[in-house]
């Protein structure tokens, strides 16, 4: 977590904005990782065969994949923000 003291110590507005963005990206990654972990269990639980459950399983698997893709994208943004702060 970033300290609010940084904002008071004369850090430029751009650096402060990068720190805030990095914090928001980190929070989003954590939320997506938690959602992805929950989806793993749901995907496994719905793996048995039935038309309705199969459709649910496919939808949950798609959400799990999408969450993983977003984690990758946000991780790239976090890396870019870290480089901007260096």
């Amino acid at each position: 977590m970033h300290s609010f003291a940084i904002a008071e110590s004369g850090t430029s507005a751009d650096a402060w904005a990068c720190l805030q963005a990095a914090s928001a990206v980190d929070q989003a990654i954590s939320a997506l990782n938690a959602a992805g972990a929950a989806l793993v269990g749901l995907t496994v639980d719905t793996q048995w065969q039935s038309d309705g459950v199969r459709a649910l399983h496919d939808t949950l698997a798609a959400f799990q994949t999408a969450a993983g893709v977003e984690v990758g994208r946000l991780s790239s943004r976090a890396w870019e923000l870290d480089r901007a702060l260096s």
Side-chain angles (χ1 to χ4, degrees), residues 9-83:
S9 67
T11 303
S12 73
D14 289 342
W16 181 244
C18 283
L19 287 172
Q20 288 178 312
S23 177
V25 168
D26 287 343
Q27 290 173 1
I29 289 171
S30 293
L32 283 166
N33 280 329
L39 287 166
V40 168
L42 290 172
T43 302
V44 169
D45 289 346
T46 60
Q47 209 162 16
W48 59 279
Q49 300 300 310
S50 161
D51 288 341
V53 175
R54 188 177 308 115
L56 174 62
H57 171 79
D58 292 345
T59 300
L60 290 171
F63 284 148
Q64 183 181 353
T65 299
V69 168
E70 288 306 317
V71 166
R73 289 180 184 165
L74 288 172
S75 294
S76 293
R77 299 297 85 76
W79 180 80
E80 289 171 359
L81 287 166
D82 285 342
R83 285 199 55 201

